[in-house]
Amino acid sequence: MTSVVARRQPAFGPRAARIGLYVFLAVSAIFFLLPLLLVIMNSLKPMEEIRQGNLLALPINPNFDAWVSAWQSACTGLDCAGVRPGLWNSIKITIPSVVISTLAGALNGYALGQWKSRHANMIMLLVTVGLFIPYQAMLYPTVKILSNVGLFRTYAGIVFVHVIYGLPYTTLLFRNFYVGIPDEISRAARMEGARFLRTFWSIILPISTNILVVVAILQFTGIWNDYLLGLIFAGNDNLPMTVQLTNIVGNSRGAANPNVNMAAALITAIPTLVVYFLSGRYFVRGIAAGAVKG
C-alpha cells in the first residue's frame, strides 16, 4: 500500500505546476491587456462621461463618435483631417522599407555566412556594432548626407533611411540563420553551375520562410511605430500616422478630448495588431524553428 501511495504522489506535482503556469499566464495576459481595454472603453465614451473622471468605469452610452472624429476631423495643427492622411503615408513608407531591408539583409546574411574568412567575422562585428549606435547619434550626419543629394524630407529619403538603419539588424538575424544551413546545399548548387545570386534566389531563399516571416514582422512593427525618423526625414507631405497621432494629442486648439486621443491611438495601432493576429503563429513557428538562433 505504501508503494502505491508513493507512486501516486508525484502525479500531483506536474499537475500543480501546470495549473500554476496557467494562472501565471492568465494574470500576465490580464496585466498586459488591461491598459488596452481601458483605452478601448474610454474611446467609446462621450465627453460627458469622460468629464466625470472615472476612467475605470464601463461606458454607459458607448458610441464611435470619437473614432469618427479621430479618423476624419481631429486637428493636427491647422489641418483638421484626423489620422486618415497618415494611413496611406505609413503604408507607402512601411511596405517598400520592409521588403527592401528584408531582402537586402537576407542577401548580406547569406554572403557573410558563406564567406569563410576572418574578414567576414570582422565585417559582421562592425555590422553588430552598428546595432548599438543610437539613432540620435546618426541624425545630423544623415540629414547632411540626404540634404546634399536632394533626398532630405522626401518619400525616397525616408524609405532609404529605414532601409539603411534596418540593415544591421536584418543582416545579423539572417547571418545567424544561414550559418546553420549545411554547406553541401551551396556546393551542390555550384556543381550544377548555379552562381551565387542564382543559388540564393532559387535555393536558399525558398527554404528561409521562417526567418523571412520573423524579420518581416519585426521590421514592419518597428517601421510602422516609428516616430522620430518619420518626423525628421519624411517631410510634410509624407508624415506617417504616428506623427499625425502626436500632433492630435498635442494640439492646443480648443479643449482636450481624451476619448478622441485614445481612439486615434487605437486606429494607429490596428495595422500592427492585425499583422500579429494574422501571422503570429508563423512568427512563433519561426522562433521555435531557430530563426533567431546564434
Side-chain angles (χ1 to χ4, degrees), residues 14-34:
R15 183 179 303 175
R18 189 179 299 111
I19 294 175
L21 176 61
Y22 289 153
V23 171
F24 172 77
L25 292 176
V27 172
S28 300
I30 293 174
F31 176 79
F32 286 107
L33 288 176
L34 185 58

Side-chain angles (χ1 to χ4, degrees), residues 173-211:
L173 292 178
F174 277 107
R175 188 261 183 185
N176 290 341
F177 178 79
Y178 287 139
V179 293
I181 295 180
D183 294 336
E184 287 75 9
I185 297 179
S186 299
R187 293 175 184 172
R190 287 195 297 268
M191 292 179 62
E192 294 294 331
R195 296 181 180 273
F196 175 82
L197 291 178
R198 180 67 175 178
T199 302
F200 169 75
W201 186 259
S202 300
I203 299 176
I204 300 300
L205 206 59
I207 64 176
S208 306
T209 305
N210 293 326
I211 183 64

Side-chain angles (χ1 to χ4, degrees), residues 101 160 187 225 228 244 251 265 272 274 289:
S101 62
F160 176 79
R187 293 175 184 172
N225 292 332
L228 181 62
Q244 299 280 3
N251 181 52
T272 54
V274 170

Side-chain angles (χ1 to χ4, degrees), residues 66-74 81-85 87 241 248 260 264 267:
W67 287 67
V68 174
S69 176
W71 174 248
Q72 64 182 19
S73 62
V83 296
R84 180 174 53 181
L87 175 62
M241 290 187 75
I248 290 175
V260 175
I267 293 174

Side-chain angles (χ1 to χ4, degrees), residues 18-252:
R18 189 179 299 111
I19 294 175
L21 176 61
Y22 289 153
V23 171
F24 172 77
L25 292 176
V27 172
S28 300
I30 293 174
F31 176 79
F32 286 107
L33 288 176
L34 185 58
L36 177 61
L37 294 176
L38 292 178
V39 172
I40 294 175
M41 287 166 41
N42 287 281
S43 69
L44 298 176
K45 294 179 182 178
M47 279 304 301
E48 290 76 12
E49 297 184 29
I50 294 289
R51 294 190 182 98
Q52 295 177 4
N54 190 359
L55 298 179
L56 299 179
L58 293 173
I60 300 175
N61 298 308
N63 58 70
F64 287 92
D65 292 344
W67 287 67
V68 174
S69 176
W71 174 248
Q72 64 182 19
S73 62
C75 293
T76 59
L78 298 178
D79 184 17
C80 294
V83 296
R84 180 174 53 181
L87 175 62
W88 170 243
N89 291 338
S90 291
I91 291 175
K92 72 178 185 179
I93 290 172
T94 302
I95 292 180
S97 300
V98 170
V99 173
I100 297 173
S101 62
T102 300
L103 292 179
L107 184 61
N108 290 342
Y110 178 63
L112 291 173
Q114 289 292 303
W115 189 12
K116 308 299 182 182
S117 170
R118 61 186 179 89
H119 299 293
N121 295 331
M122 181 59 65
I123 293 176
M124 194 64 242
L125 176 61
L126 295 176
V127 170
T128 306
V129 170
L131 290 172
F132 299 97
I133 300 178
Y135 288 167
Q136 293 81 354
M138 299 184 289
L139 287 180
Y140 181 71
T142 307
V143 169
K144 293 294 292 183
I145 293 173
L146 293 184
S147 298
N148 291 335
V149 298
L151 293 179
F152 181 58
R153 299 185 69 82
T154 64
Y155 169 67
I158 182 61
V159 172
F160 176 79
V161 168
H162 279 304
V163 171
I164 295 300
Y165 282 14
L167 272 180
Y169 186 64
T170 58
T171 299
L172 177 64
L173 292 178
F174 277 107
R175 188 261 183 185
N176 290 341
F177 178 79
Y178 287 139
V179 293
I181 295 180
D183 294 336
E184 287 75 9
I185 297 179
S186 299
R187 293 175 184 172
R190 287 195 297 268
M191 292 179 62
E192 294 294 331
R195 296 181 180 273
F196 175 82
L197 291 178
R198 180 67 175 178
T199 302
F200 169 75
W201 186 259
S202 300
I203 299 176
I204 300 300
L205 206 59
I207 64 176
S208 306
T209 305
N210 293 326
I211 183 64
L212 285 171
V213 171
V214 171
V215 172
I217 293 177
L218 293 176
Q219 280 293 95
F220 179 89
T221 304
I223 295 173
W224 187 275
N225 292 332
D226 167 70
Y227 167 78
L228 181 62
L229 300 180
L231 176 66
I232 296 175
F233 296 101
N236 294 332
D237 295 332
N238 305 299
L239 293 178
M241 290 187 75
T242 49
V243 179
Q244 299 280 3
L245 170 63
T246 304
N247 292 339
I248 290 175
V249 174
N251 181 52
S252 59

